[in-house]
Amino acid sequence: MRRLLAGLALLLLALVAGLWIGPRFVDWEPWRGRMAELASEQLGRPVTLDGPVELQLLPQPVVRVGGVAVGLPGEEYAFTARLLRIRLDLGALAGGRLSPREIALVGADLTLPWPPGPLLNLRPPSWITQLDANLEDGRVRIGGAVLQGVTARLSSGGYAQVLDIAGAFTWNGRATRFTAALGRPGWDGIATFEMAVVLPEILGNARGVLIPGTGFEGLVEASGPDLAALLPSPPGAFRAAGRLSASAELIAADELAIEIAGSPARGAVALRLLPAPRLDIALVASRLDLDGWAAALRAGGQRPWPIAIDLSAEASSFRGILLRRLRGAAFLEEGRLTLSDVSLLLPGETQLELSGATAGGRLELSARFAGPDLRTTLTTLGLPVQELDPTLLRQGEGRMRLVLEDAQAAMPEFAATLGEIQLSGAGVLRHGARPALGLGLSINQLDLARWLPQGFDLQRARRGLGSVDLNLRLAADSVLLRDAVMERASLDAALEGGRLTLRRLAGRVAEVDLAVSGVLALAPALRLQDLNLEATGSSARGLASLFPGIWPDGTPLADLPVVLRLSGGGPMEALALRGSAEMGELRLEASGTADAQQRRGTASLTLRHPGAPRLVSEAFSRDVGAWLGEGSFSLIASITAGPQGVAAESFELVAAALRARGALALATNGGRPRLTGRIVAESLPLPFPGWRSTDPIGLRNLADLDAEVALEAARIPVAGITAEQASALLRLAEGRLRLENLRGRLAGGQFEATVTAEAPAGLPPRLSLAGRLADATIGEKLFGLPIDIAAARGSLGFALEAVGHSAAALVGSLTGRAQVDLRDGVLAGFDLAAAATASALPDALGAEAAIREALLTGATAFDRLEGETALVGGRMRLETARLATEAGATATLAGEIDLARATLDLLVLARPAVPEAPDLGLRLTGPADAPRALPETSAWAVWRAAQP
């Protein structure tokens, strides 16, 4: 039994080996024709087999034949295959029959025309009800599309169904599974067709009909987890459904209802096949996320065909900015992106239009903008425009060209109109750890007060500028800073490595040509280097108008050529500066140090002019030669300035006859400026405009300043009178000027006085003078009039007030009282002693003639002259006035003197030699400088005629 079983096993093994190996040694060529017939019957097409034939019995009967050709040569739909594989029925084969169970074409190379043609009219053999035909590792061309690695199963269905296909292929590097069902064509050749495609990124199906010579028409549905894997779009799940049509030239899906990342949209997709493949996408959405679309387009990469995208959205967002009414198109071909007809509405209702294209790694754009509220737009974009003047950046329009690259962003062209401002230029921004900005701008008008940020913080600006590099070139027709205007301004500056270099700032300011250069080091500490400033002009009039007040406007000094120079440098807390200025022949030289952070500084300055009278005449339009004399002008001073005020710690002033020195300080940290100090003068000539001058006395600005200054002067010449050893304390407070403790020597006597001046708002200035002159000596005519005090010694007391803007007005309003007490003097103009002596002559006619002559000529020597006067409205009335001559004669004076008009109405009454005789009179009337003298001797003549 064991031997029998072993023998059977060996026999079975030999049989299997024979079935496995035996067919390999059998010549199957006679079967080639039969295999071709079987394949032709299964495929419905003529099949030619030219390759070797192999049979494999185990594990199942399989025939393999190479050199496969399906269809007649030159026939449409003909193709070849590397191998034909037929799986046979084992039972039928044992009975001597060939019954195929499966036919597979391996390595088929099939070209299908598009749109489909007569293939749809083919009918499968009616006796085949179930047949499987497989394609393995094939390649199928459909129009311009090539499907690689095609593995599919083809089976015929029932009467209404021609073919079912299921399998997989690789297209554009993507593994794709699919199923398709082709219905039986009708009498018109139209057949139903349904296909489902499955990719990792998409699940889609299409249902419709195939029309011979036309193509496919039907419906399509697609969905997937990430649209960005298929199209240049933002990542996110999507769903789409709509109509699908396909022809030889175009495969289009329109009327699409789309949902991208939860956002609904409408659109269309078209794949143009002729003349070259191109994918067109049109999308209309209520809202789009542009960040994803922009990133997708930038990273477009290589696509199998060009892609055109047309986007439209009522609302969209880009980097957190809300955009409205977005319209635009993008074209992507071979890595090149082209944007066209892009328009959108920015916040602030600014309309922006864009177009451009990429070239390699750069994007070139042309843009136009226009809007009624650019300020809101720029604020939304993150620019700090809210710190600027609120009236800036409202309505405007402009255009620009941008070039964006990985390393930099450039703006080769820019032109805009912002209200009344016209701006043009170019710029470039280089990215990196330390950004660098180059900017060149031209502007018609630049108002710095409006463009500089409000609440400018130097330290914050220093920290911000220290991290960037900047190269700036600016040209402006006019630059405004409050009242200053710079015309034809140009700026060339750079910020690099924490150093701000001002190569040149030039322009014309107030009729003066200005040029500035220098270097400011921002780190580690602020330091100014190589500062140079130069300003030249043919006139200083415009420059003077920039300073407060009206001086020197309208004076000859303002018309003189001006030259200013300033240089220096150093740390900001110890700047060393040198400067000079020239206005005509006036020259200023100064040097010192300044602490810019604490706003403090000290300086030594020298101011010189070869002619002091000429300088005063040029500076104040006044002739001062009569009282100032001839000589040069010089001022040497040491100045200290700071937040508390300005102080001249010492100064020396020489102006022709004027010699003075001292120290002054002007405090500005209080509610009102306050001047304090001390002035000592060797000679202090004072101007005297004349009693009839109508020029303003210059007291209207008393309310602008408070002062307390000690004054001393060895000599004070004024109006031909010289005061010596004078001193006073000048006080000015709340618009009231007061000279207190005014003391000195005048005409050999000692005087004391107090002067007060007030200038109430809206009212004329008021002056008051009270004092006394004691033991003075008069050595010549006091007033220079025909009737005058020629010599005397004595005292004078006075208390006077006056109101007016000029000397003439003050004299016309003079009010007060005065007392005079003179001794041992001479009164020129008449001889009272001679008149009294003449009255005793025996010849009456001769005596009267002598009296009249004595009253009209000569001089009266007196022992004492006492009088008291009252002044009201500029008229001086002699209340009591007595004169006693050396000869014992006496006289009284009465009447008025009109000081404003300089007229007299005086009566002099002298006692004759005979006590009982009437007084001898002399009436003086008319102008003071040429009075009319009328002797009044009629009463004396009548008395004399009555004498025996």
Side-chain angles (χ1 to χ4, degrees):
M1 182 60 67
R2 291 193 186 95
R3 293 189 182 97
L4 178 61
L5 291 177
L8 290 176
L10 290 174
L11 180 61
L12 180 61
L13 181 61
L15 178 60
V16 170
L19 293 175
W20 182 270
I21 301 174
R24 301 178 185 271
F25 299 99
V26 179
D27 183 11
W28 294 98
E29 286 297 325
W31 294 83
R32 182 186 305 275
R34 183 55 180 160
M35 294 296 103
E37 291 177 1
L38 289 176
S40 299
E41 291 175 358
Q42 293 291 331
L43 299 178
R45 304 296 306 283
V47 176
T48 301
L49 302 176
D50 295 332
V53 181
E54 295 180 1
L55 173 63
Q56 175 184 318
L57 294 178
L58 296 178
Q60 60 182 355
V62 175
V63 178
R64 297 181 177 86
V65 185
V68 183
V70 180
L72 299 176
E75 182 185 11
E76 194 174 16
Y77 303 111
F79 65 94
T80 62
R82 187 173 66 251
L83 181 70
L84 172 65
R85 188 181 69 237
I86 301 176
R87 183 169 61 85
L88 299 175
D89 182 82
L90 182 61
L93 182 63
R97 294 182 294 108
L98 297 177
S99 176
R101 291 299 179 210
E102 180 185 82
I103 293 181
L105 293 173
V106 180
D109 191 347
L110 176 63
T111 299
L112 299 178
W114 184 260
L119 177 65
L120 293 178
N121 295 324
L122 298 178
R123 297 290 188 270
S126 58
W127 54 270
I128 299 180
T129 57
Q130 286 187 344
L131 178 65
D132 290 336
N134 294 335
L135 293 179
E136 296 181 5
D137 192 23
R139 181 171 63 178
V140 179
R141 294 183 178 90
I142 305 176
V146 178
L147 308 182
Q148 300 283 356
V150 178
T151 300
R153 180 179 181 183
L154 291 80
S155 62
S156 61
Y159 179 78
Q161 183 173 326
V162 175
L163 197 62
D164 280 338
I165 306 174
F169 59 84
T170 300
W171 175 54
N172 195 29
R174 298 178 183 274
T176 304
R177 293 183 294 110
F178 74 98
T179 61
L182 177 65
R184 186 178 299 276
W187 61 268
D188 54 0
I190 298 177
T192 61
F193 180 75
E194 182 175 350
M195 182 176 182
V197 178
V198 179
L199 286 84
E201 305 89 356
I202 185 173
L203 172 63
N205 65 81
R207 299 182 302 276
V209 296
L210 288 174
I211 304 174
T214 300
F216 174 84
E217 290 186 3
L219 301 177
V220 64
E221 293 181 359
S223 62
D226 189 2
L227 181 61
L230 298 176
L231 302 174
S233 63
F238 74 97
R239 296 177 61 86
R243 291 193 319 113
L244 177 65
S245 62
S247 66
E249 297 84 9
L250 178 68
I251 301 176
D254 56 6
E255 298 182 6
L256 290 175
I258 307 172
E259 182 178 311
I260 303 175
S263 298
R266 294 178 293 108
V269 179
L271 176 59
R272 300 183 184 274
L273 303 176
L274 297 177
R278 168 175 162 170
L279 180 64
D280 293 332
I281 303 172
L283 187 64
V284 179
S286 58
R287 186 178 183 89
L288 282 179
D289 178 12
L290 288 184
D291 293 285
W293 285 97
L297 291 174
R298 283 197 302 265
Q302 295 295 327
R303 298 281 173 172
W305 46 61
I307 298 177
I309 302 176
D310 192 325
L311 294 179
S312 179
E314 186 61 29
S316 55
S317 62
F318 183 69
R319 296 185 179 180
I321 301 173
L322 178 62
L323 310 176
R324 295 188 296 119
R325 301 178 188 174
L326 171 67
R327 305 288 186 275
F331 184 69
L332 185 61
E333 181 180 14
E334 296 180 357
R336 177 180 174 85
L337 174 65
T338 302
L339 301 176
S340 61
D341 301 325
V342 179
S343 66
L344 51 93
L345 200 61
L346 294 167
E349 301 301 312
T350 298
Q351 182 73 33
L352 178 63
E353 299 177 358
L354 294 170
S355 63
T358 61
R362 54 188 275 167
L363 172 63
E364 297 186 7
L365 292 173
S366 294
R368 291 181 177 272
F369 66 89
D373 188 6
L374 295 178
R375 188 180 188 89
T376 300
T377 303
L378 296 175
T379 300
T380 306
L381 295 178
L383 298 178
V385 298
Q386 292 297 334
E387 299 183 4
L388 305 181
D389 188 286
T391 62
L392 283 174
L393 300 175
R394 293 300 180 184
Q395 183 177 5
E397 61 180 359
R399 58 181 176 81
M400 69 183 75
R401 190 162 65 89
L402 300 173
V403 178
L404 306 179
E405 301 179 69
D406 293 337
Q408 68 179 28
M411 183 174 60
E413 297 178 11
F414 175 77
T417 300
L418 309 176
E420 298 178 354
I421 300 174
Q422 296 178 359
L423 186 66
S424 63
V428 60
L429 174 63
R430 292 184 175 88
H431 309 299
R434 187 178 184 85
L437 174 64
L439 193 61
L441 293 176
S442 296
I443 187 171
N444 63 333
Q445 182 176 337
L446 178 61
D447 190 342
L448 292 179
R450 300 173 64 193
W451 284 96
L452 287 176
Q454 300 177 4
F456 180 75
D457 187 345
L458 178 61
Q459 294 300 325
R460 185 179 66 177
R462 173 187 170 189
R463 290 192 298 269
L465 294 175
S467 59
V468 299
D469 291 340
L470 176 66
N471 198 325
L472 176 62
R473 287 181 172 86
L474 177 66
D477 295 340
S478 62
V479 178
L480 285 70
L481 181 58
R482 298 181 178 86
D483 296 333
V485 179
M486 177 181 285
E487 300 174 345
R488 301 191 301 275
S490 63
L491 172 68
D492 186 355
L495 175 65
E496 186 175 5
R499 290 170 59 88
L500 177 59
T501 302
L502 180 62
R503 300 187 186 99
R504 182 175 176 82
L505 170 62
R508 186 169 180 81
V509 182
E511 302 179 8
V512 173
D513 293 324
L514 177 68
V516 185
S517 63
V519 177
L520 179 62
L522 302 177
L526 287 176
R527 185 180 183 88
L528 184 63
Q529 302 172 357
D530 302 327
L531 172 64
N532 283 285
L533 181 149
E534 184 171 349
T536 59
S538 59
S539 169
R541 183 175 300 278
L543 194 62
S545 65
L546 301 180
F547 296 94
I550 60 173
W551 184 86
D553 301 346
T555 64
L557 183 65
D559 294 323
L560 297 177
V562 61
V563 178
L564 301 175
R565 294 184 180 89
L566 179 66
S567 62
M572 300 305 291
E573 62 273 13
L575 282 174
L577 301 173
R578 299 177 302 278
S580 65
E582 298 179 14
M583 292 180 65
E585 295 181 288
L586 180 64
R587 181 175 179 82
L588 170 67
E589 294 181 354
S591 62
T593 60
D595 186 343
Q597 297 178 348
Q598 301 295 326
R599 296 183 299 167
R600 301 177 181 276
T602 61
S604 298
L605 61 87
T606 302
L607 187 63
R608 300 183 185 278
H609 192 280
R614 191 165 68 256
L615 173 61
V616 176
S617 177
E618 293 172 348
F620 303 101
S621 299
R622 295 180 181 275
D623 184 7
V624 298
W627 61 270
L628 189 60
E630 294 296 331
S632 63
F633 171 87
S634 69
L635 172 64
I636 302 175
S638 296
I639 306 296
T640 301
Q644 306 299 321
V646 181
E649 298 177 351
S650 64
F651 71 88
E652 293 185 6
L653 174 63
V654 176
L658 189 151
R659 303 285 192 277
R661 66 181 186 280
L664 293 173
L666 178 63
T668 58
N669 57 335
R672 289 161 52 86
R674 179 177 175 79
L675 180 67
T676 59
R678 180 171 179 263
I679 298 176
V680 178
E682 298 178 10
S683 176
L684 183 62
L686 298 178
F688 180 67
W691 299 112
R692 298 185 183 182
S693 172
T694 58
D695 294 336
I697 58 177
L699 297 179
R700 60 183 177 182
N701 295 325
L702 292 180
D704 298 340
L705 181 70
D706 291 343
E708 183 173 334
V709 180
L711 303 175
E712 296 181 17
R715 297 176 66 253
I716 304 180
V718 54
I721 302 174
T722 301
E724 298 178 347
Q725 306 301 320
S727 64
L729 179 63
L730 184 148
R731 295 182 185 273
L732 176 58
E734 298 180 356
R736 186 180 186 188
L737 174 66
R738 185 177 177 87
L739 281 175
E740 299 178 354
N741 301 324
L742 178 57
R743 295 185 179 89
R745 297 187 60 80
L746 179 63
Q750 189 71 30
F751 73 89
E752 296 181 358
T754 299
V755 181
T756 303
E758 297 179 84
L763 296 176
R766 177 182 297 274
L767 274 71
S768 62
L769 175 64
R772 178 177 177 80
L773 175 61
D775 300 327
T777 301
I778 301 174
E780 55 186 10
K781 283 188 176 183
L782 185 59
F783 302 107
L785 301 176
I787 298 176
D788 203 346
I789 299 175
R793 60 184 183 86
S795 302
L796 174 66
F798 47 87
L800 307 174
E801 289 187 358
V803 177
H805 291 284
S806 63
L810 292 173
V811 172
S813 63
L814 196 61
T815 301
R817 301 188 68 84
Q819 303 87 29
V820 63
D821 183 4
L822 301 179
R823 294 177 177 81
D824 302 329
V826 175
L827 191 61
F830 53 83
D831 190 348
L832 296 182
T837 301
S839 66
L841 294 176
D843 184 3
L845 293 177
E848 184 176 0
I851 291 173
R852 296 176 66 86
E853 183 180 0
L855 293 177
L856 296 175
T857 61
T860 302
F862 60 86
D863 287 337
R864 188 166 189 176
L865 174 61
E866 296 178 334
E868 184 172 349
T869 64
L871 291 93
V872 179
R875 300 174 68 90
M876 183 173 65
R877 188 179 76 254
L878 299 178
E879 293 184 342
T880 59
R882 298 180 181 85
L883 183 143
T885 66
E886 294 178 351
T890 62
T892 61
L893 288 79
E896 292 184 349
I897 301 175
D898 191 337
L899 300 178
R901 297 175 179 80
T903 60
L904 306 175
D905 186 7
L906 298 177
L907 177 62
V908 180
L909 296 177
R911 294 298 301 155
V914 180
E916 62 271 16
D919 290 340
L920 302 175
L922 175 63
R923 182 169 295 277
L924 301 171
T925 60
D929 54 354
R932 183 172 58 186
L934 297 175
E936 295 185 355
T937 59
S938 57
W940 178 85
V942 172
W943 173 80
R944 179 64 181 269
Q947 299 301 313

